[in-house]
């Protein structure tokens, strides 16, 4: 089937998106060409997972220093600790779910939620039912890190609408799953990985299919897509770090663009995702440089 039948193909041609795709591709290729990657790739992958999990937990309300996350062994003491533990468990297993993702993305999403909440939770692994709400996506405001090029806009941040009802969530999850399975079967393969990953990430944030941990799950799903699409086959590009460094205001505004569904809004969301991914590449490049100097 040609890429013209892919519903995501038009997004790749929106103003600014081809440039974002090209910049991401160049940055990722440069990281994969680093000398350290030839002999210590597994260590870079592990460190990327840890840093990505820390950043994803920060975006979900638990902004712990990296060394505290590295030092801790008990993540059950309080809500923040449980959020960090959820992000770590998801990061540890996400890359192992690729084969299942290719034929059953919804099964993987259920598994990610189970990892987050634990099997003692009666809602573990199932989407919200009618009348059930979802936790806030951005419970903690993170300021942008200096020097990352975050665009600071005037005015109050947009108020995001609540997640849709259970029936709409089920229908849209099914549609998303069908699209991803079709891609795994070779349909629509011309659409860039950045575009596909951005749509999966945005759609899961829009739906908030579970009662809790939707942000962590959506960011993990984006990472799985980048792995499945071949852009980041060793999972060494922690976009979660970039989303955190760009700040929650920019994240929320970009997501509002996705929710609006306009060409401008979709292009802004994909461009924001591209910036986050390039910052993730920068993070892992710094890890490689530290390893090369013998500091890690």
């Amino acid at each position: 089937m040609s890429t013209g039948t892919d519903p995501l193909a038009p997004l790749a041609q929106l103003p600014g998106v081809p440039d974002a795709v090209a910049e991401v591709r160049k940055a990722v290729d440069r990281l994969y060409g680093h000398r350290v990657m030839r002999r210590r790739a597994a260590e870079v992958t592990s460190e990327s997972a840890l840093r990505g999990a820390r950043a994803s937990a920060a975006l979900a309300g638990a902004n712990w220093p990296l060394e505290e996350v590295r030092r801790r062994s008990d993540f059950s003491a309080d809500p923040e600790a449980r959020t960090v533990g959820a992000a770590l468990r998801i990061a540890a297993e996400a890359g192992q779910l690729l084969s299942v993702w290719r034929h059953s993305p919804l099964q993987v999403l259920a598994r990610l939620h189970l990892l987050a909440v634990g099997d003692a939770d009666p809602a573990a692994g199932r989407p919200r039912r009618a009348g059930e709400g979802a936790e806030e996506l951005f419970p903690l405001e993170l300021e942008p890190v200096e020097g990352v090029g975050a665009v600071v806009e005037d005015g109050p941040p947009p108020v995001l609408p609540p997640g849709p009802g259970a029936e709409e969530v089920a229908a849209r999850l099914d549609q998303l799953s069908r699209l991803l399975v079709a891609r795994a079967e070779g349909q629509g393969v011309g659409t860039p990985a950045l575009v596909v990953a951005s749509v999966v990430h945005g759609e899961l944030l829009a739906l908030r299919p579970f009662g809790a941990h939707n942000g962590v799950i959506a960011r993990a799903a984006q990472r799985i897509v980048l792995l499945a699409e071949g852009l980041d086959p060793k999972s060494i590009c922690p976009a979660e770090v970039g989303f955190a460094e760009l700040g929650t205001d920019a994240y929320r505004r970009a997501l509002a663009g996705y929710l609006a569904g306009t060409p401008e809004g979709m292009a802004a969301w994909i461009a924001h995702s591209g910036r986050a991914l390039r910052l993730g590449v920068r993070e892992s490049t710094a890890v490689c440089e530290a390893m090369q100097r013998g500091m890690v």
Side-chain angles (χ1 to χ4, degrees), residues 8 101 109 176 179-180 194-206 217-218 221-222 225 258 269:
L8 302 185
W101 177 267
L109 294 177
L176 181 65
L179 184 149
L180 292 170
L194 174 64
V195 173
V196 182
S198 299
V199 168
V200 170
H201 180 191
E203 189 68 1
L204 291 174
L205 291 179
I217 290 169
Q222 177 183 12
V225 171
Y258 177 88
W269 171 247

Side-chain angles (χ1 to χ4, degrees), residues 11-34:
L11 299 179
Q13 303 307 318
L14 292 175
V17 172
D19 288 341
V21 169
E23 290 167 0
V24 163
R25 177 81 264 180
K26 181 178 179 181
V28 173
D29 286 348
R30 188 182 301 117
L31 173 58
Y32 271 81
H34 198 286

